[in-house]
Amino acid sequence: MAKSITQEFTKGLWDEIPPFRLVLGLCPTLAVTKSVENGLGMGVAVIFVLVCSNMLVSLLRNIIPPKVRIACFIVIIATFVIVVELLMQAYTYPLFLKLGIFIPLIVVNCVVLGRAEAFAYKNGIVRSIVDGFGIGAGFTISLVAIGALREVFGSGTFFGIPVFGPSFQPFTFMIEAPGAFVCLGLMLSLMNLAGNE
Amino acid sequence: MREIIKMVVVLTVLSAFSGGLLAAIRGETKVKIEDQQLKFVKGPAINKILEGCSNDPIADRFKIKDGDIERSFFVGVFDGKANRFAFEGTGKGFGGDIGLMVGVNIDNDQIVGMGVTTHSETPGIGSKAKTDPKFSDQFKGLAAIEPCKVKPDGGGIDAISGATVTSRGVCVGVTNAANIYKRLKPQIAEKLKEFK
């Protein structure tokens, strides 16, 4: 049974939320979520790339020969990633400095390639755009949630604004790499707990 | 056979289109990106070197061709006179290239300040070259036409403890900058006259 347009969007927010349900795109999820700002910036970049690449893949799906489809997807995705990279350098340079190598690495983000292969190559253009938005929004929400958890406990701030009194001792473990794994694990288990009921 | 031709054509057209799009966007954003880099990477060092000037050194800049390279100079106006400027030099440090800005007063050939902009030195040790004012302040007042060296090499600069290689790299960078200054002084003086 075909899903309605709204369902295509909302599935990305819960049923198929990328890092938690699909467990895809973990590299940026773990690496850039030191703060809410970084998570949000990364999420917005991924939304842009996802929507544009889904749109173009869906538009060209009858022209692209099946044997070279992955190569074509990568060309399309890489193009939009470099567009994002250039725009970020031109307009939000401090954010670009923080995200650094993880912007170019969106090219090999499984979420983006996965949606092109599993969805956009088989569906119409409107549905593909909606799917890109939904999955991208889900990815952004996940990054912001992990970022918030790590930033609040790891540096005692939210979006750079202090949330605790001056006596707060930051739990720096949270903003280091192992803290990312612990956060992701905790959130995965919570999601599974909520999903089983 | 037809399939192969189709594959080749599709991929070629796609790549060509992608290349064209990127070239166009790069052309559009090039100036803007350069501005941003100046503002966030070199800007703080430039403003510190030319502290107290009455103009905006990042806006008041000019370029001089030096062989194949175009070098940027940032002008600082003091008491209505454009006699100080900052420009870039590079040296080799412990972890790679060290980029730095050197400020020179053209009236007496003296260095007015030095600030490291980019480096990949060890955090907490070599990185002090950028953050420790005690180290960078030593360059103030040195003659901009002479090579600059750390004390173990017979010069006058106290190296950062534990980071002799980094300190030496910074000195090489300043010396390189001094060589550029010596080479381009007439052109610089000419250009500075335009800023009054």
Side-chain angles (χ1 to χ4, degrees):
Chain A
M1 197 184 80
K3 286 178 179 165
S4 75
I5 292 285
T6 348
Q7 276 170 326
E8 292 294 3
F9 180 73
T10 51
K11 73 166 196 270
L13 302 183
W14 184 260
D15 288 340
E16 292 181 22
I17 189 163
F20 299 129
R21 283 295 151 98
L22 306 179
V23 201
L24 283 180
L26 286 188
C27 169
T29 309
L30 294 169
V32 304
T33 51
K34 279 183 186 162
S35 70
V36 181
E37 193 196 349
N38 288 7
L40 190 66
M42 184 72 192
V44 171
V46 170
I47 290 182
F48 174 83
V49 173
L50 249 177
V51 170
C52 293
S53 70
N54 261 10
M55 182 180 76
L56 210 62
V57 167
S58 167
L59 198 69
L60 301 175
R61 70 184 188 282
N62 295 326
I63 305 169
I64 296 173
K67 277 185 186 161
V68 288
R69 65 181 192 283
I70 301 289
C72 292
F73 297 163
I74 291 288
V75 171
I76 292 170
I77 295 167
T79 309
F80 287 116
V81 169
I82 297 174
V83 169
V84 168
E85 199 189 348
L86 288 172
L87 290 179
M88 268 200 162
Q89 281 190 58
Y91 297 102
T92 57
Y93 199 75
L95 185 67
F96 171 77
L97 287 182
K98 278 194 211 151
L99 294 178
I101 185 71
F102 292 100
I103 292 296
L105 277 181
I106 298 175
V107 175
V108 288
N109 189 322
C110 328
V111 177
V112 185
L113 187 61
R115 291 332 282 178
E117 163 79 11
F119 196 92
Y121 197 54
K122 295 170 191 149
N123 286 282
I125 183 160
V126 178
R127 269 171 191 279
S128 298
I129 292 175
V130 172
D131 175 78
F133 257 118
I135 296 283
F139 189 71
T140 309
I141 292 170
S142 317
L143 291 193
V144 169
I146 301 175
L149 198 64
R150 290 179 70 191
E151 194 185 337
V152 166
F153 292 107
S155 26
T157 57
F158 182 79
F159 249 108
I161 307 154
V163 283
F164 297 111
S167 60
F168 176 72
Q169 197 67 39
F171 183 30
T172 40
F173 169 73
M174 293 293 270
I175 50 169
E176 281 160 20
F181 285 95
V182 172
C183 274
L184 182 75
L186 284 176
M187 295 191 83
L188 262 175
S189 58
L190 281 178
M191 291 279 293
N192 283 344
L193 201 65
N196 286 343
E197 278 167 359
Chain B
M1 191 61 200
R2 273 198 58 194
E3 204 189 344
I4 289 179
I5 294 171
K6 195 185 170 193
M7 280 192 242
V8 172
V9 169
V10 169
L11 259 179
T12 312
V13 171
L14 205 59
S15 308
F17 178 74
S18 150
L21 180 74
L22 290 181
I25 291 183
R26 194 181 153 71
E28 284 293 308
T29 53
K30 202 172 170 230
V31 177
K32 186 87 189 150
I33 290 173
E34 203 169 287
D35 279 355
Q36 294 270 324
Q37 278 170 343
L38 285 176
K39 196 168 153 202
F40 289 102
V41 180
K42 295 169 193 164
I46 296 169
N47 285 328
K48 204 165 166 293
I49 290 166
L50 300 173
E51 211 170 9
C53 62
S54 53
N55 64 331
D56 177 8
I58 294 168
D60 290 343
R61 60 176 195 261
F62 59 86
K63 284 179 177 172
I64 292 177
K65 262 205 146 59
D66 178 20
D68 293 337
I69 321 161
E70 244 189 0
R71 298 189 189 277
S72 290
F73 294 83
F74 304 88
V75 184
V77 178
F78 290 83
D79 303 325
K81 269 178 77 185
N83 56 4
R84 298 179 197 193
F85 60 93
F87 63 108
E88 230 177 339
T90 50
K92 252 211 152 30
F94 189 65
D97 283 346
I98 302 175
L100 46 86
M101 294 303 288
V102 178
V104 174
N105 186 335
I106 200 161
D107 291 344
N108 56 8
D109 291 339
Q110 263 185 9
I111 292 178
V112 293
M114 190 283 297
V116 173
T117 50
T118 52
H119 67 85
S120 32
E121 303 306 295
T122 321
I125 304 171
S127 68
K128 280 191 189 154
K130 183 174 182 174
T131 51
D132 191 353
K134 260 192 252 154
F135 176 72
S136 47
D137 284 352
Q138 294 181 79
F139 293 88
K140 273 185 199 165
L142 291 182
I145 39 171
E146 278 167 25
C148 150
K149 282 178 183 166
V150 286
K151 274 188 181 156
D153 297 346
I157 301 293
D158 270 325
I160 303 161
S161 59
T164 313
V165 177
T166 307
S167 312
R168 203 173 273 154
V170 173
C171 288
V172 170
V174 173
T175 309
N176 286 345
N179 288 337
I180 297 168
Y181 172 64
K182 261 193 282 185
R183 199 159 60 228
L184 299 178
K185 192 181 172 186
Q187 282 131 287
I188 297 169
E190 198 60 38
K191 286 270 189 184
L192 279 177
K193 280 179 195 154
E194 295 166 19
F195 295 92
K196 284 290 167 187

